Amino acid sequence: MLQGVNSETMLYTVIGDPIRQSKSPLMMNRAFRETGTNGVYIASHIRSAQLADFVTSARVLGIRGMNVTIPHKVNIMPFLDILDESARVIGAVNTIVNDNGVLTGYNTDGIGYVRSLKEEVAPHLAGKNIVIVGAGGAARGIIYALIRENVGSIVIANRTLEKAEELAMQFRALANISAIAMNEFATVCAHADIVINTTSVGMFPQVDETPFDVTLLREGTIVSDLIYNPLKTRVLELAEQRGCPIHGGLGMFIYQGAFAFEYWTGKPAPTVAMREEVLAALTTL
Ligand code: ATR
């Protein structure tokens, strides 16, 4: 049931380089159809040298909403009029709202991830002990969102200790947060309620790799992986066999989009339909 495009139709787009692999247009156009929103969402292949021109075009055309993906999440920031706290703290933008020419940048990756974690496996995060494996941009977004849930403690475990220490330092005024090298993982794992992989270890095509030793996990510890290709990574498979509740990365993608949809339209996102659409696209490749 495709809606007619008419003179009231609002434009939306995701920008990136490359972009043709993106599942955002399928997911967002489904969300528009489900909610009777008069919008069209396309994928725009924008190279780095075209970023300034793109922002001018977005203002001229009145593109209502944008998603920003690799490699533009940081470089887009100077072109925007307002940066939401999420974008300022994380240092990257993945969602833009255009209010009559005023462009506001948000970062919905971390809060999207946490909303998915809560809805799927861990409704109560307050007071929980969290171990985050990896110390890159994805970890930063998740830490920002977890702190807003008043978690009990956060330990960042990383191959390169210095990067984990830097990240912990940045948030130290806001949370009980510390950094360790991977050889101390066994000790923290014993007290963890939730272990989250934010590294790319286990992503297609390296599907047999695991980011940490699964035999160190206690039964009952929730194990979460940001990767959604494959939908169930090796580490999740092994954790499940040990009696751990598991949480895959697809939810993060769905809910970062859900927040973007809600910022643009003011309507609750139809997350069940959005997930159904993306899952169908991923499983019929
Ligand atoms: P993103 O922005 O997606 O988080 P990133 O900034 O490149 O990506 O961060 C990748 C994280 O995964 C880093 O913490 C990296 O560890 P280092 O800081 O030691 O580089 C981690 N990572 C990537 N590949 C890894 C591997 N093969 N083994 C262990 N950690 C790895």
Side-chain angles (χ1 to χ4, degrees):
M1 199 187 62
L2 203 69
Q3 276 147 14
V5 172
N6 58 27
S7 52
E8 302 287 328
T9 302
M10 301 296 271
L11 269 178
Y12 298 82
T13 190
V14 57
I15 64 164
D17 179 18
I19 202 60
R20 295 295 159 226
Q21 80 293 349
S22 173
K23 301 287 176 271
S24 292
L26 280 173
M27 178 170 77
M28 292 302 197
N29 285 311
R30 174 71 184 270
F32 291 157
R33 289 199 301 279
E34 289 289 323
T35 56
T37 303
N38 190 354
V40 168
Y41 187 111
I42 62 167
S44 304
H45 186 188
I46 305 295
R47 286 135 181 120
S48 292
Q50 300 171 309
L51 204 50
D53 284 345
F54 166 75
V55 177
T56 304
S57 313
R59 291 181 192 277
V60 172
L61 286 170
I63 296 178
R64 165 67 180 157
M66 289 147 267
N67 285 126
V68 183
T69 188
I70 293 167
H72 306 312
K73 287 185 177 192
V74 176
N75 294 339
I76 193 89
M77 296 176 76
F79 297 107
L80 306 179
D81 303 303
I82 301 172
L83 292 173
D84 178 64
E85 181 199 69
S86 57
R88 275 187 277 118
V89 174
I90 296 165
V93 161
N94 80 325
T95 299
I96 301 170
V97 179
N98 180 353
D99 279 314
N100 299 315
V102 179
L103 303 185
T104 304
Y106 297 83
N107 194 309
T108 68
D109 285 331
I111 56 173
Y113 168 80
V114 167
R115 183 160 152 195
S116 142
L117 184 69
K118 287 170 75 176
E119 290 203 8
E120 291 170 53
V121 286
H124 308 292
L125 289 174
K128 298 287 189 230
N129 299 316
I130 319 269
V131 176
I132 294 183
V133 181
R140 186 187 303 269
I142 285 169
I143 291 167
Y144 165 78
L146 285 173
I147 288 173
R148 290 156 52 105
E149 299 290 332
N150 294 315
V151 297
S153 69
I154 299 173
V155 178
I156 309 168
N158 196 42
R159 176 177 63 180
T160 313
L161 175 61
E162 295 73 37
K163 272 183 74 181
E165 283 173 338
E166 254 171 59
L167 194 53
M169 186 78 92
Q170 198 196 329
F171 289 101
R172 76 181 192 284
L174 304 172
N176 175 6
I177 187 164
S178 54
I180 58 160
M182 285 311 291
N183 59 11
E184 291 177 77
F185 183 76
T187 319
V188 296
C189 211
H191 308 287
D193 297 306
I194 307 175
V195 178
I196 305 168
N197 173 44
T198 71
T199 76
S200 53
V201 181
M203 191 187 288
F204 181 83
Q206 269 86 45
V207 294
D208 292 325
E209 291 179 17
T210 59
F212 54 83
D213 180 359
V214 179
T215 64
L216 301 171
L217 291 167
R218 272 188 305 136
E219 187 185 333
T221 300
I222 294 170
V223 180
S224 171
D225 198 332
L226 265 51
I227 294 168
Y228 68 87
N229 182 16
L231 288 168
K232 196 190 279 186
T233 53
R234 184 85 183 123
V235 77
L236 291 186
E237 231 166 50
L238 295 172
E240 193 173 40
Q241 287 166 16
R242 289 185 68 80
C244 298
I246 59 167
H247 172 245
L250 188 62
M252 177 171 179
F253 177 67
I254 306 298
Y255 284 97
Q256 61 76 33
F259 274 115
F261 177 91
E262 290 168 1
Y263 293 166
W264 296 330
T265 68
K267 301 174 190 174
T271 53
V272 173
M274 289 163 74
R275 182 185 294 267
E276 181 188 279
E277 191 74 29
V278 176
L279 259 182
L282 288 175
T283 49
T284 56
L285 287 178

